Amino acid sequence: MRILVANVNTTVSMTDAIAESARAVASPGTEIVGITPRFGADSCEGNFESYLAAIAVMDAITSYPEPFDAVIQAGYGEHGREGLQELLDVPVVDITEAAASTAMYLGHKYSVVTTLDRTVPLIEDRLKLAGLDDRCASVRASGLGVLELESDPERAVEAIVAQSREAVENDHAEVICLGCGGMAELEDKVKAATGVPIVDGVRSAVTIAEGLVRMGLTTSKVRTYATPRPKTVVGWPFQL
């Protein structure tokens, strides 16, 4: 089984970290391929960058030259999952939805701890669109930019732990979802500080994608995610 894990930004080191995290939980025989878009922002922290990333990820995935069995979109709260589902005949799993759905097996309410405050509405909207918001206690911002997770890991842990504690103590969250693809390596430290289950979206998405492939399931094509109708598309940056 080959699973493509698509970073939504153009920072290769983050792609590598995300792919390594995915490999940590992948089953024997599952190949994880990290994908970095050929254009876009070096981090995604708002609507413009998110919409740009949606196009960039579709370009990167449809340009991949070898067969694959599933795709993971490794951007928290990002746009584009629906477009991939229309274009592909293999399962597409978004890490925002993967983390939240996994958290719902582990506790009554979950909270998401993410990066900048401006990304909170994007995550809230993605959870609402997916029907996963009713059991979301809160979405909290650590105040760190995406790239600071790599450049200042000690400060990142401190900020994420602080917000996770607030979510558990004040918002009554019983599970914490790490709200960025680059947070995977922080699981153990946040769990030790809070005492609750910590869910990483990338790792959750890998297990969900593997399960869908093993069951022979993929996206329904009868209506919402039907293959795009043939038509002239001017200036489209990738091959349909």
Side-chain angles (χ1 to χ4, degrees):
M1 184 188 308
R2 176 182 288 150
I3 300 176
L4 306 186
V5 181
N7 186 6
V8 296
N9 65 50
T10 56
T11 301
V12 175
S13 60
M14 189 162 288
T15 302
D16 293 341
I18 289 169
E20 194 60 32
S21 177
R23 292 186 187 106
V25 297
S27 300
T30 296
E31 178 188 4
I32 300 294
V33 179
I35 301 292
T36 304
R38 65 185 177 90
F39 60 89
D42 59 358
S43 65
C44 292
E45 296 165 333
N47 281 286
F48 164 70
E49 292 154 1
S50 180
Y51 281 114
L52 180 60
I55 301 297
V57 168
M58 285 188 280
D59 167 64
I61 296 300
T62 57
S63 300
Y64 186 76
E66 303 295 332
F68 53 91
D69 300 289
V71 171
I72 292 170
Q73 179 174 288
Y76 220 94
E78 306 300 334
H79 301 92
R81 184 262 296 162
E82 296 87 347
L84 283 172
Q85 286 184 294
E86 289 186 5
L87 291 171
L88 304 176
D89 59 3
V90 301
V92 177
V93 183
D94 170 78
I95 67 169
T96 317
E97 298 166 8
S101 58
T102 300
M104 289 165 61
Y105 288 106
L106 305 175
H108 179 62
K109 290 276 189 177
Y110 68 90
S111 285
V112 178
V113 177
T114 188
T115 52
L116 299 178
D117 182 66
R118 66 175 296 164
T119 67
V120 169
L122 278 73
I123 294 171
E124 290 175 335
D125 285 352
R126 173 54 63 184
L127 294 172
K128 186 173 184 178
L129 184 64
L132 297 166
D133 58 319
D134 280 351
R135 288 171 60 185
C136 181
S138 59
V139 180
R140 287 180 163 270
S142 65
L144 298 173
V146 170
L147 299 183
E148 290 180 273
L149 299 174
E150 286 188 325
S151 65
D152 196 349
E154 290 186 10
R155 180 169 169 242
V157 170
E158 185 177 307
I160 293 162
V161 163
Q163 289 302 316
S164 297
R165 282 177 171 158
E166 289 285 327
V168 172
E169 294 170 8
N170 298 328
D171 305 334
H172 307 295
E174 298 174 8
V175 183
I176 297 295
C177 295
L178 299 176
C180 177
M183 290 182 177
E185 301 305 317
L186 307 181
E187 278 181 275
D188 291 342
K189 293 178 181 179
V190 180
K191 182 178 180 180
T194 61
V196 302
I198 308 300
V199 180
D200 169 64
V202 173
R203 297 183 182 187
S204 299
V206 170
T207 60
I208 292 169
E210 286 185 329
L212 292 172
V213 173
R214 290 196 184 98
M215 289 187 289
L217 297 173
T218 191
T219 307
S220 173
K221 293 291 187 177
V222 299
R223 192 181 187 194
T224 307
Y225 305 118
T227 302
R229 296 176 62 196
K231 59 183 68 177
T232 300
V233 181
V234 178
W236 199 239
F238 59 86
Q239 295 291 326
L240 291 178

